[in-house]
Amino acid sequence: MTTLAISSRKKEIRTRRHARVRAKISGTATRPRLSVFRSNRGITAQLIDDEKSVTLVGISSLTLKKGTPVERARACGVKLAELAKAKKISTVVFDRGGFLYAGAVKALAEGAREGGLDF
C-alpha cells in the first residue's frame, strides 16, 4: 500500500468514528459542544451552539509560539476556558473529533478543566 492510500484510509476511519460520536452529542446555547481538531501543525478548539449553528468561542495553538505541542494544547484549553467564562459558559459537552483521548487532545481537555469548564 502506498503512503497516500494509508493516509486516506486513516482519515476515513477517523471520519467514521467522529460521525458515530456526533450522532450522540449536540451542543446548545447553555451547554455548547467543545469541538477539537488536531492537525500535524497544531490543535484548534471551538465552543459550538449546534441549535443555531454558531461558533461561540474559538482558539488555535498556532497563536502560541513556545512549548511542545502538548504544552501548547494545555495552554489553549486554559485560554478557551477563560474566554468561555467571559461569555458566562461553565458547562460543555466534549467532542474529541474522532481522535484518541491522548496526547494533545487530553492536554487540551485537562487545561479546559483547570480553567474552570465542567464536562
Side-chain angles (χ1 to χ4, degrees), residues 12-67:
E12 178 187 338
I13 291 168
R14 186 193 73 80
T15 305
R16 284 183 182 181
R17 194 180 313 124
H18 189 204
R20 276 196 310 268
V21 171
R22 283 290 289 122
K24 297 172 189 164
I25 64 171
S26 178
T28 64
T30 57
R31 191 169 179 181
R33 176 170 54 99
L34 171 52
S35 177
V36 176
F37 178 74
R38 182 180 54 82
S39 71
N40 289 338
R41 294 188 64 203
I43 192 164
T44 60
Q46 301 176 23
L47 293 181
I48 303 170
D49 177 2
D50 289 315
E51 292 174 342
K52 296 179 183 173
S53 298
V54 173
T55 299
L56 305 172
V57 177
I59 191 159
S60 171
S61 69
L62 297 178
T63 59
L64 306 171
K65 298 295 181 198
K66 294 188 176 183

Side-chain angles (χ1 to χ4, degrees), residues 63-102:
T63 59
L64 306 171
K65 298 295 181 198
K66 294 188 176 183
T68 66
V70 172
E71 291 169 349
R72 288 188 304 204
R74 174 174 243 109
C76 273
V78 172
K79 182 71 174 164
L80 182 77
E82 290 173 9
L83 294 171
K85 289 290 184 185
K87 294 213 174 203
K88 296 182 175 35
I89 298 170
S90 59
T91 59
V92 296
V93 178
F94 188 69
D95 175 13
R96 59 189 173 87
F99 299 103
L100 292 177
Y101 187 80

